[in-house]
Each structure stands twice: as C-alpha cells, then as structure tokens.
Amino acid sequence: SNFADRFKQARINAGVSISSIAKEMGIQFNPSMVAEGSIPKAERIERLAELLGVSLQWLAFGEGEIKAMGSETGASSSPY
C-alpha cells in the first residue's frame, strides 16, 4: 500500500475526518493533496502518526505494525 492508502486506513480506524486533522495540525486542507497522493513532510507525518495513534514507521513506509507502541486500539487518545 502507499502513503495515501495507509493514511486513509488510519484515519478511518481513528474515526476522524481529514478536515479535523488539518484543523488540529493548523494547516489548510486541500482535497487535491490527498487525491494526488502527496506525501507530507517528515515532521507532519510524525504528527499525523501521533494524532491517529499509529506507528510512524507504518504510516510513513508501510513497515511494522499499524499500532503505535503502548496503544491497545490503534486509536489516538487525543479527543481530535
């Protein structure tokens, strides 16, 4: 799978919308960014992984387990 597929899977598992993620990260959401499969900068991928409760290695590269270390459900403890 590619980054866009992993991001979508993690977002659905966490039950959050793209717009709420963009708001939490303080960025302007542009639907074409997702449609084109653009890969965010490293620091944004790290923050996305944190917000979605998934492993950075899995989200960025598709390696390892989807769940972040210490996460039972794979969902973020953040209310966002």
Side-chain angles (χ1 to χ4, degrees):
S1 69
N2 61 32
F3 174 80
D5 292 338
R6 292 187 301 274
F7 173 68
K8 181 179 179 181
Q9 181 183 351
R11 185 180 57 75
I12 290 169
N13 289 351
V16 295
S17 69
I18 294 173
S19 59
S20 67
I21 292 169
K23 184 177 179 180
E24 176 69 19
M25 293 182 66
I27 59 174
Q28 181 71 32
F29 171 64
N30 180 350
S32 67
M33 292 165 51
V34 176
E36 293 170 2
S38 298
I39 299 174
K41 295 177 183 178
E43 60 271 9
R44 287 197 177 153
I45 293 178
E46 186 174 7
R47 180 70 175 130
L48 284 171
E50 180 182 305
L51 287 172
L52 297 172
V54 298
S55 159
L56 174 61
Q57 286 295 105
W58 178 82
L59 185 60
F61 307 109
E63 298 173 354
E65 297 293 321
I66 185 173
K67 292 181 184 177
M69 295 297 280
S71 173
E72 292 296 317
T73 63
S76 173
S77 60
S78 169
Y80 299 100

